[in-house]
């Protein structure tokens, strides 16, 4: 994360550029004892056979793995899964019931956890998700291992465990998994489960990028912009951000917007910066939401609109963005 202030008193020209995964600390939940899921009585559409649903589940896992390796964000992963289920005329309740009764394979175990994580059919239960991911990970399920590593970093449903996050990421990175390479680079970048090593972080980001991971591409751009583990090259940074943005990566869109707002590797173009922030903000990127709120608060070559500034600060603050939380408090106090 880069924070650049125009002066010591205000941050009207501040921009945040996200590299790697968000460093916000998410509330840490306590672990619960792992319990076996008891089979329940269910009715599956008689036109859908057991082997058909097994194939569907396997395909959904492959779809999810492909999204992870491309660097696609959670909302895209979820959309792809729901779209596939809907396109095959499968009722969500039916596949959920089938999963409950078929906890014998790692893919079924993982997918039930995924449903619990996103509140698909059932209520959101990240503790249960963590337990199911751990079971699937022990059975060498790659998708479960990737998602579990993320949980260990942020404490979402599982206790924060940087050592396990590092070990899982390292294990999968050694198998040339692009998502794991990017996360392992993030571990070396931030000292998660290991010592900070700029050179290793850059090399791993670069490997992930070469395999098409859009987060890795964005991260290599950040390294080039800041001289992290490599030489400063702002033109290359701009091109890499553009590439990540073109792949639909919201972090890349935000980073590219920062370049246009501040003239990093390109000419200043506030209109393009605004458009990119808005696009990434609508995709749920908390950094872009913060940057967009700043533009509305200060009227930086767009019409000043405190109401819209508050709206986007709230969106960003809700995701744990500390600067957005601070700005939101200040604006709300001024409004009162």
């Amino acid at each position: 994360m880069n924070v650049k202030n125009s002066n010591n008193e205000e941050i009207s020209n501040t921009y945040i550029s996200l590299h790697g995964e968000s460093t916000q600390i998410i509330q840490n939940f306590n672990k619960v004892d792992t319990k076996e899921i008891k089979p329940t009585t269910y009715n599956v559409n008689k036109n859908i056979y057991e082997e058909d649903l097994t194939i569907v589940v396997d395909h959904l896992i492959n779809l999810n793995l492909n999204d992870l390796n491309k660097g696609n964000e959670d909302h895209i992963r979820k959309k792809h899964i729901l779209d596939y289920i809907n396109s095959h005329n499968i009722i969500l309740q039916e596949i959920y019931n089938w999963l409950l009764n078929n906890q014998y394979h790692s893919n079924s175990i993982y997918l039930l956890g995924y449903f619990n994580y996103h509140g698909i059919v059932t209520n959101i239960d990240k503790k249960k998700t963590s337990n199911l991911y751990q079971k699937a990970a022990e059975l060498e399920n790659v998708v479960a291992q990737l998602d579990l590593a993320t949980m260990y970093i942020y404490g979402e449903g599982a206790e924060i465990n940087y050592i396990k996050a590092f070990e899982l990421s390292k294990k999968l990175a050694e198998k040339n998994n692009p998502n794991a390479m990017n996360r392992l680079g993030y571990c070396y970048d931030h000292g998660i489960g290991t010592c900070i090593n700029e050179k290793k972080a850059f090399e791993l980001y670069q490997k992930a990028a070469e395999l098409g991971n859009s987060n890795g591409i964005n991260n290599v751009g950040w390294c080039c912009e800041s001289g992290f583990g490599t030489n400063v090259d702002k033109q290359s940074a701009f091109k890499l951000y553009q590439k990540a943005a073109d792949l639909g990566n919201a972090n890349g869109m935000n980073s590219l917007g920062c370049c246009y707002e501040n003239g990093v590797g390109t000419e200043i173009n506030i209109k393009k910066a605004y458009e990119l922030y808005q696009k990434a903000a609508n995709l749920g990127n908390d950094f872009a939401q913060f940057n967009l709120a700043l533009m509305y608060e200060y009227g930086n070559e767009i019409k000043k609109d405190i109401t819209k500034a508050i709206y986007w600060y709230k969106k960003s603050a809700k995701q744990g963005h500390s600067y957005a939380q601070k700005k939101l408090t200040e604006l709300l106090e001024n409004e009162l």
Side-chain angles (χ1 to χ4, degrees):
M1 179 177 69
N2 295 332
V3 181
K4 301 184 180 181
N5 298 338
S6 58
N7 55 58
N8 294 326
E9 297 178 353
E10 63 181 29
I11 53 176
S12 60
N13 290 325
T14 299
Y15 72 89
I16 304 294
S17 179
L18 176 65
H19 72 288
E21 302 171 48
S22 170
T23 55
Q24 71 182 70
I25 301 300
I26 304 173
Q27 182 180 2
N28 185 23
F29 296 94
N30 294 322
K31 273 188 177 178
V32 293
D33 293 333
T34 302
K35 297 180 180 178
E36 293 296 328
I37 297 173
K38 297 180 180 179
T40 59
T41 303
Y42 68 97
N43 291 313
V44 175
N45 188 316
K46 59 185 178 182
N47 292 320
I48 303 174
Y49 297 97
E50 291 282 324
E51 58 267 29
D52 293 333
L53 282 176
T54 300
I55 293 169
V56 167
V57 169
D58 290 347
H59 186 86
L60 290 173
I61 300 305
N62 288 333
L63 193 66
N64 209 354
L65 178 60
N66 188 48
D67 277 339
L68 280 166
N69 287 336
K70 285 182 177 179
N72 290 340
E73 287 138 340
D74 280 349
H75 70 280
I76 295 176
R77 293 169 58 193
K78 181 180 177 181
K79 183 178 185 301
H80 286 168
I81 283 179
L82 294 178
D83 285 349
Y84 183 85
I85 291 172
N86 290 333
S87 68
H88 286 74
N89 300 315
I90 301 171
I91 298 171
L92 280 171
Q93 185 67 58
E94 288 183 342
I95 193 169
Y96 180 76
N97 290 341
W98 187 89
L99 289 171
L100 285 173
N101 287 270
N102 289 272
Q103 290 291 288
Y104 315 116
H105 306 287
S106 69
N107 283 349
S108 295
I109 295 169
Y110 168 81
L111 193 59
L112 183 61
Y114 187 87
F115 274 42
N116 276 272
Y117 184 89
H118 288 282
I120 299 173
V121 179
T122 186
N123 294 324
I124 291 175
D125 189 337
K126 293 183 179 179
K127 291 180 182 178
K128 183 179 287 186
T129 294
S130 173
N131 290 332
L132 289 164
Y133 283 1
Q134 286 178 41
K135 287 182 182 180
E138 289 169 2
L139 294 172
E140 299 301 321
N141 187 284
V142 174
V143 182
Q145 291 172 337
L146 290 171
D147 278 345
L148 191 58
T150 300
M151 289 183 121
Y152 284 141
I153 291 175
Y154 301 118
E156 257 195 313
E159 290 183 357
I160 290 175
N161 191 321
Y162 291 157
I163 298 297
K164 286 185 177 180
F166 175 79
E167 290 174 349
L168 277 172
S169 299
K170 187 173 186 293
K171 175 182 177 180
L172 294 173
E174 289 172 349
K175 296 179 180 179
N176 292 322
N177 180 280
N179 181 283
M181 286 179 181
N182 180 68
R183 185 176 292 107
L184 185 61
Y186 182 78
C187 288
Y188 280 115
D189 185 341
H190 294 276
I192 294 174
T194 188
C195 296
I196 291 176
N197 188 319
E198 294 186 10
K199 185 178 179 181
K200 280 189 177 181
F202 174 71
E203 289 173 351
L204 284 159
Y205 286 153
Q206 199 167 41
K207 286 181 180 179
E210 289 169 356
L211 290 173
N213 185 277
S214 61
N215 283 321
I217 294 168
N218 181 69
N219 291 341
V220 175
W222 177 83
C223 290
C224 290
E225 180 188 350
S226 59
F228 186 89
T230 187
N231 297 325
V232 173
D233 186 343
K234 297 187 184 298
Q235 283 71 35
S236 291
F238 174 79
K239 290 177 182 178
L240 287 161
Y241 291 150
Q242 180 72 69
K243 185 176 181 180
D246 289 344
L247 290 171
N249 188 287
N251 295 332
M253 293 173 197
N254 177 68
S255 299
L256 189 61
C258 294
C259 288
Y260 278 119
E261 184 175 8
N262 296 274
V264 177
T266 188
E267 294 181 358
I268 290 176
N269 189 323
I270 301 302
K271 182 181 178 182
K272 283 189 177 180
Y274 170 77
E275 290 172 351
L276 285 160
Y277 289 154
Q278 190 171 51
K279 188 174 182 179
N282 286 329
L283 290 173
N285 186 278
D286 58 326
F287 290 84
Q289 290 168 346
F290 174 79
N291 291 333
L292 186 59
L294 276 177
M295 295 187 88
Y296 278 123
E297 180 184 0
Y298 293 100
N300 184 13
E301 295 195 31
I302 64 168
K303 185 178 179 181
K304 185 175 181 178
D305 192 326
I306 298 301
T307 300
K308 288 184 178 179
I310 290 174
Y311 173 82
W312 287 112
Y313 280 140
K314 281 183 178 179
K315 287 279 191 181
S316 182
K318 190 175 180 180
Q319 297 191 67
H321 195 296
S322 58
Y323 286 94
Q325 291 167 349
K326 181 180 178 181
K327 293 293 294 181
L328 180 61
T329 299
E330 291 175 357
L331 279 185
L332 291 175
E333 286 177 350
N334 290 335
E335 287 292 297
L336 291 174

